[in-house]
Amino acid sequence: MGFIYRIARRSKGDSSVCPIAPEWEFTVPFNRNEDWTHGPCFGSRGTFFADVTGDGKADIILVNEDTVTVRRSTGADFGPSPKANEDWTHGPYLGRHGIFFADVTGDGKADAIVVNTETVTVRRAV
C-alpha cells in the first residue's frame, strides 16, 4: 500500500515531508462521466492519450495493425464521430517491443516512438 505525502511548512520557514495515514479518506473532485468519443473508440494494438498537435490538449491515438490514427481533442470531446479519425502514418507503424508517444524533440508535440530489438525509431509530429 502506498502513502500520500504532504509537505508541512514550519514557522521558521523550513519544510518537512509527512506521510498521511493510508486509512484516511480523500474525495477526488471529478465531475460526472462525459461521452467524449460518441461511440466505441479504441485501437486494436493500443489506445493512447498525448498532445500530438501542440495545442495543450491530449488527443486520442489509436494504434491498429494497418495504421495509427488520431482524433484531436476539442477540449469538449474527441470529434463528432469516427469520421474525425485522421490517418497519421499511412501504413503500419509498430515496434516489436512497443509503441510509445512522447515529445522527444521539445516542440510541444508528442512524437511516435517504436522500440525494436535493433533500434528505437521516432516519427516526429508535424
Side-chain angles (χ1 to χ4, degrees):
M1 177 179 289
F3 283 90
I4 298 172
Y5 291 89
R6 69 176 173 214
I7 298 176
R9 182 167 297 278
R10 296 187 179 122
S11 60
K12 295 180 184 176
D14 59 336
S15 299
S16 61
V17 176
C18 308
I20 297 173
E23 62 270 15
W24 289 13
E25 289 188 31
F26 295 92
T27 58
V28 179
F30 287 117
N31 287 323
R32 62 180 172 75
N33 292 344
E34 300 175 14
D35 181 1
W36 274 47
T37 60
H38 312 288
C41 186
F42 57 90
S44 62
R45 294 289 296 261
T47 304
F48 301 87
F49 300 89
D51 181 9
V52 296
T53 59
D55 63 1
K57 297 177 279 211
D59 307 297
I60 190 167
I61 306 161
L62 311 172
V63 179
N64 294 294
E65 295 291 330
D66 59 342
T67 192
V68 175
T69 60
V70 171
R71 287 178 77 171
R72 298 174 190 236
S73 173
T74 66
D77 64 11
F78 292 113
S81 69
K83 292 180 182 178
N85 290 0
E86 300 174 29
D87 186 348
W88 276 47
T89 58
H90 305 288
Y93 192 62
L94 304 167
R96 181 176 181 89
H97 301 290
I99 183 168
F100 305 91
F101 300 90
D103 180 13
V104 296
T105 60
D107 63 357
K109 301 175 192 173
D111 307 294
I113 307 153
V114 293
V115 179
N116 290 299
T117 302
E118 61 282 351
T119 191
V120 174
T121 306
V122 173
R123 282 198 185 175
R124 298 174 188 227
V126 291

